[in-house]
Amino acid sequence: MAKKALITGVTGQDGSYLADLLLEKGYEVYGMVRRSSMEKFDRIEHIKDRIQIRQADLLDQYSISKIIEEVQPDEVYNLAAMSFVPTSWDQPVLTAEFTAIGVTRMLEAIRAVNPRIRFYQASSSEMFGKVKEIPQTETTPFHPRSPYGVAKVYGHWITVNYRESYGIFGASGILFNHESPRRGIEFVTRKVTYNAARIKLGLSKELRLGNLEAKRDWGYALDYVEAIWLMLQQDEPDDFVIASGETHSVKELVEIAFSHLELDYKDFVVLDRKFIRPAEVDLLMGDYGKAKKVLGWQPKVHFAELVRMMVDADLALLKKDYRL
């Protein structure tokens, strides 16, 4: 009998790739979406007839309990959150409701309906923030530097708490930045690749960015969702850092994207202070050694390859949209 999986945030980058992966593995896949006046299903359009969409909301305990009662999943992947870090400064309370308290609502529903359900919590490298050591591991202390990071720390520890208090199989993946052609346009990687492609096609003349020296550990989302799945296949629940083990600056990202299009970024990139965060995280770089040892996981796609893949995808998308 096929395993059943429920994915919150199924319409997002990670949720759509995870749905692809689980379908390949023969799962019956259910996706949880919020009722919204603007439904965005573009990332799952190609599999919409193969997954079952259910409406529920991380702000509403009853709807969460109801969906888990109806679906009776073997595995729950909690990928839904208010995921754009800069917005968390503008909406800190809402961020806490979704990204922190929402995790408790999910865990409470599992505890009430069926405590044997395996639960994955999407933790984040933003929890490290003002880093205490480089590289960061599963035991590095947290010091978040944004309302989003703070909310993710709560979600992480409440998962640990339910694991230790109630014996729930709760695993957390501390995922470092991971990108793909399905990344939202507001994130810096996609903002760069999309706008570089626009400039190449003569649709834009400049790209405005904030801190070019900001560094991140960037990987490929499809690699990372494989790690997510592996965490719920283990004998015991645990927490894992999933990262590339390398760090790159926004400037490097820009250089690779523009040079792939045979452009000099200095001719087009404009520095704009409005894109600089109130508090910046320090050097985020993850050590995926534990994931390699326990899960047998390591990243396959490297940074420059990822950036070029995203540029090519955006170029093709824009040509199609503008019939170029």
Side-chain angles (χ1 to χ4, degrees):
M1 200 167 136
K3 270 190 187 176
K4 286 189 204 171
L6 172 65
I7 304 170
T8 76
V10 72
T11 59
Q13 170 187 254
D14 294 4
S16 63
Y17 279 124
L18 182 61
D20 287 341
L21 181 74
L22 295 178
L23 286 170
E24 272 175 37
K25 293 185 180 297
Y27 278 68
E28 204 174 303
V29 178
Y30 293 79
M32 182 178 125
V33 298
R34 293 174 66 207
R35 175 76 187 93
S36 165
S37 56
M38 287 178 65
E39 302 285 12
K40 279 201 72 178
F41 291 110
D42 49 314
R43 292 188 185 96
I44 56 168
E45 202 61 54
H46 63 294
I47 51 169
K48 218 173 151 196
D49 59 341
R50 297 174 61 204
I51 65 175
Q52 300 195 48
I53 299 294
R54 294 280 192 276
Q55 285 188 351
D57 198 311
L58 285 178
L59 302 185
D60 178 39
Q61 184 70 59
Y62 174 73
S63 69
I64 293 169
S65 298
K66 187 163 173 271
I67 195 174
I68 288 176
E69 182 74 64
E70 286 175 0
V71 172
Q72 291 289 331
D74 299 287
E75 299 168 0
V76 170
Y77 295 88
N78 186 40
L79 309 182
M82 202 301 297
S83 64
F84 188 47
V85 176
T87 303
S88 75
W89 297 101
D90 300 326
Q91 298 182 308
V93 177
L94 188 64
T95 298
E97 283 287 350
F98 278 121
T99 309
I101 309 300
V103 185
T104 315
R105 293 189 186 104
M106 293 295 301
L107 287 162
E108 269 298 285
I110 287 169
R111 186 166 81 91
V113 175
N114 178 4
R116 291 184 302 284
I117 292 170
R118 295 188 167 208
F119 177 76
Y120 171 81
Q121 167 58 14
S123 288
S124 167
S125 60
E126 289 283 333
M127 302 189 305
F128 295 120
K130 195 173 173 64
V131 300
K132 302 290 188 276
E133 61 184 4
I134 298 168
Q136 293 88 53
T137 71
E138 293 79 7
T139 58
T140 302
F142 300 137
H143 188 146
R145 297 273 278 168
S146 66
Y148 171 81
V150 173
K152 279 292 186 185
V153 170
Y154 177 98
H156 181 85
W157 282 119
I158 202 69
T159 303
V160 171
N161 190 255
Y162 271 65
R163 180 166 78 208
E164 294 176 353
S165 303
Y166 303 117
I168 283 173
F169 192 112
S172 288
I174 305 171
L175 271 56
F176 281 65
N177 292 60
H178 47 288
E179 319 299 316
S180 75
R182 296 185 194 176
R183 190 53 141 157
I185 205 83
E186 69 275 20
F187 290 87
V188 70
T189 45
R190 184 77 196 289
K191 181 179 176 180
V192 167
T193 62
Y194 185 78
N195 283 287
R198 281 182 63 86
I199 288 167
K200 179 68 177 177
L201 295 171
L203 299 168
S204 294
K205 290 190 168 60
E206 66 176 29
L207 167 59
R208 303 184 85 83
L209 292 170
N211 181 11
L212 288 188
E213 301 311 315
K215 292 184 174 177
R216 293 291 184 276
D217 180 327
W218 277 299
Y220 179 36
L222 191 53
D223 286 348
Y224 286 34
V225 299
E226 185 188 0
I228 289 171
W229 175 76
L230 284 167
M231 285 178 220
L232 293 200
Q233 312 315 309
Q234 304 307 303
D235 294 334
E236 298 294 330
D238 207 346
D239 307 323
F240 294 91
V241 162
I242 303 300
S244 76
E246 299 175 358
T247 187
H248 299 275
S249 66
V250 175
K251 188 177 175 184
E252 282 178 77
L253 161 68
V254 169
E255 283 173 340
I256 294 166
F258 277 81
S259 67
H260 186 53
L261 295 167
E262 299 175 330
L263 298 170
D264 184 346
Y265 81 92
K266 296 189 190 81
D267 296 335
F268 307 101
V269 172
V270 179
L271 299 183
D272 190 332
R273 293 200 62 79
K274 82 174 182 186
F275 294 116
I276 293 176
R277 292 182 183 184
E280 183 56 87
V281 298
D282 292 335
L283 183 55
L284 289 177
M285 184 168 74
D287 177 351
Y288 64 87
K290 181 178 170 183
K292 187 176 182 181
K293 185 180 172 190
V294 178
L295 306 176
W297 180 89
Q298 61 186 39
K300 299 185 188 86
V301 174
H302 294 286
F303 181 67
E305 188 186 345
L306 170 63
V307 177
R308 290 192 287 266
M309 175 204 301
M310 291 174 67
V311 169
D312 289 342
D314 279 325
L315 206 56
L317 179 73
L318 286 161
K319 283 178 177 174
K320 183 180 159 206
D321 286 351
Y322 287 87
R323 296 194 172 95
L324 297 172

